[in-house]
Amino acid sequence: MNTRMLAVCILSIAAVLLLTGCSDRTDLEDATIPLALGLDLDENNKFHVYITSPEFSKSVKKKHHEISEPADTLRQSRIGQDAHSAGAFQGRKYQVVLLGQRLLQQENWFRMLDVLFRDSKNTVTDRVIAINGSISKLIELNPPDEPYLPLLLKGMIDTKSARSETVKTTVQELHRQIFETGITPSIAEVKLAENNDIRLNGTMLLDHKGKYATTLNAQETVLLKLLQKEARKSSSLSFTVPGIPKTGPFQTNMISLSTEGARTKIKTSYGDDKFQFQFTVHIPAVLSEKVFPYNLRKNGNQLDTIIAKQAQLQFENLIKKIQQHKIDPIGLGLYARAYHYKQFAQVEDHWGEALAKADIHVSVNVTFKAMGPVK
């Protein structure tokens, strides 16, 4: 009898639990689930929030809904977003967070993202993307012959960052870079061209206060990832070979290579009241394109030296660009703090200025492992 009563009690409790789990159910047709969040300033420097969400109703032809709402804060904008939405607003599903160019030209804009970290129900794996241009035009675009905008941008960042052509900075990683004094933030940059073509523009670099500093193209981003020791997968690089003439309208003095397994060593020192960094970059290369006549079998070693010099020049130009803007996307401040803490502690609050005065040298070694199946 006791066993039978125990079984009845267990079944009753299970039934109650199941009913409780369904009591607050929201059908997909009755929900508004934004997949992209955009933040920017309008022409009058008024804070604006943009969202785009898919429509699941069978009765509508347009399968996505865009909302643009002036707001005081991100959380306060929820009321206005609900007022424009037929379904119950369900946040915390963002795939991408878009930051407008006007916003990134202001100091302390990062405080406007406070709710993303303070509300524990929010995710922090959203991809952060800088928009070179108008967010409103981008949000409202959604061409019918391309994937849904949030999924397009997310896929674009994930695939291009795997080839080191941009960076995949999440909301959580951006938080670390903003508050870490030994590094400055870097985020992917997307541009809306004149023909409404969405294209990856490279990587946007910010200063210690989060303000826009400069932009790196795809080649410069690959070089940056090599200096960061983060170019783990195959990357493509192209160089102009000096002494080779162009042929008519064609750029026939170019050579392209792919590299995988590059190794970078960083040595740090301190002297003459400034930090010193020495990079040694070893690039194993596979020739992927050569559009000029050259005897690779006879002069292969010379080609290694030529490309190494061209790569070194581009590394040096990148470092000059970084020092000119007093930023540190490489994260050299982390090395300075680890090996020279006493000296770093004295300049930690203005590390960008200290890095601008530092001596940074790069030596490059390129070794071609394969020349391709054709002579």
Side-chain angles (χ1 to χ4, degrees), residues 240 243-254:
T240 301
I244 303 296
K246 295 196 300 182
T247 303
F250 305 108
Q251 202 79 18
T252 54
N253 57 349
M254 298 285 295

Side-chain angles (χ1 to χ4, degrees), residues 239-245 253-255 292 294 303 305-307 309-310 313:
F239 300 97
T240 301
V241 180
I244 303 296
N253 57 349
M254 298 285 295
I255 190 171
F292 55 88
Y294 193 87
L303 186 63
T305 304
I306 293 172
I307 300 305
K309 289 182 178 179
Q310 296 304 307
L313 286 174

Side-chain angles (χ1 to χ4, degrees), residues 74-277:
L74 184 54
R75 172 58 73 187
Q76 179 269 337
S77 69
R78 177 69 62 84
I79 298 175
Q81 294 166 12
D82 275 331
H84 290 280
S85 175
F89 193 89
Q90 304 290 326
R92 313 178 183 100
K93 298 296 183 181
Y94 301 122
Q95 300 296 303
V96 292
V97 175
L98 312 178
L99 305 176
Q101 193 172 23
R102 287 178 179 269
L103 181 78
L104 294 173
Q105 291 172 346
Q106 308 295 321
E107 293 185 6
N108 300 322
W109 63 265
F110 187 76
R111 296 179 182 178
M112 304 306 291
L113 299 183
D114 180 79
V115 67
L116 297 182
F117 307 101
R118 195 168 300 276
D119 188 345
S120 60
K121 295 180 180 180
N122 286 325
T123 62
V124 289
T125 58
D126 328 332
R127 279 61 169 169
V128 181
I129 305 173
I131 305 302
N132 186 339
S134 171
I135 284 189
S136 59
K137 291 183 179 179
L138 182 67
I139 287 287
E140 295 171 0
L141 185 60
N142 278 309
D145 56 344
E146 290 186 358
Y148 181 39
L149 179 65
L151 303 182
L152 171 65
L153 294 175
K154 179 177 180 291
M156 184 182 293
I157 300 307
D158 289 353
T159 56
K160 304 305 181 293
S161 63
R163 296 205 301 261
S164 300
E165 295 173 6
T166 189
V167 294
K168 185 172 70 173
T169 303
T170 63
V171 171
Q172 180 64 48
E173 176 62 16
L174 180 62
H175 184 279
R176 184 187 77 85
Q177 293 178 0
I178 287 287
F179 291 101
E180 170 57 67
T181 56
I183 193 172
T184 52
S186 54
I187 55 181
E189 180 178 322
V190 168
K191 183 177 183 179
L192 185 62
E194 294 181 358
N195 58 351
N196 289 334
D197 182 34
I198 302 173
R199 66 184 299 270
L200 183 68
N201 214 33
T203 300
M204 180 179 288
L205 304 183
L206 310 178
D207 65 14
H208 281 282
K209 295 182 179 180
K211 290 181 64 177
Y212 169 78
T214 187
T215 297
L216 303 182
N217 59 32
Q219 174 106 345
E220 290 174 320
T221 303
V222 174
L223 299 178
L224 174 65
K225 300 289 268 186
L226 287 170
L227 294 179
Q228 292 175 331
K229 301 183 180 181
E230 293 185 2
R232 300 181 180 90
K233 295 186 178 182
S234 179
S235 304
S236 179
L237 292 167
S238 297
F239 300 97
T240 301
V241 180
I244 303 296
K246 295 196 300 182
T247 303
F250 305 108
Q251 202 79 18
T252 54
N253 57 349
M254 298 285 295
I255 190 171
S256 299
L257 56 92
S258 59
T259 175
E260 186 171 357
R263 305 185 312 278
T264 301
K265 295 182 179 179
I266 306 175
K267 292 184 178 180
T268 66
S269 59
Y270 187 87
D272 298 329
D273 294 328
K274 56 185 176 181
F275 291 89
Q276 299 166 358
F277 301 93

